[in-house]
Amino acid sequence: MSRNAWITGFTPQAELWNGRLAMIGFVSAIMIELFTHKGVLEFWGILSSGVVPPVS
């Protein structure tokens, strides 16, 4: 069985892919912040002002 095989379930191969995809996501978030000078949530328009509004 190959280390890079795409196998579902809680297997060592699934954990390798999970780690790889997490690293890609983390680096992508850092790159968005470096190039746009905005946080990821602000970049996507989820957090427009960059500040969480108070709960009333």
Side-chain angles (χ1 to χ4, degrees):
M1 186 178 324
S2 172
R3 267 177 56 180
N4 294 323
W6 190 273
I7 300 172
T8 59
F10 295 105
T11 63
Q13 291 82 7
E15 292 302 316
L16 282 172
W17 279 105
N18 185 24
R20 290 172 181 164
L21 294 174
M23 287 185 273
I24 290 170
F26 184 73
V27 169
S28 298
I30 297 290
M31 297 300 275
I32 286 172
E33 291 191 17
L34 286 175
F35 289 124
T36 65
H37 302 286
K38 296 180 181 178
V40 174
L41 296 178
E42 187 178 359
F43 177 75
W44 284 342
I46 296 171
L47 194 64
S48 60
S49 66
V51 178
V52 177
V55 177
S56 56

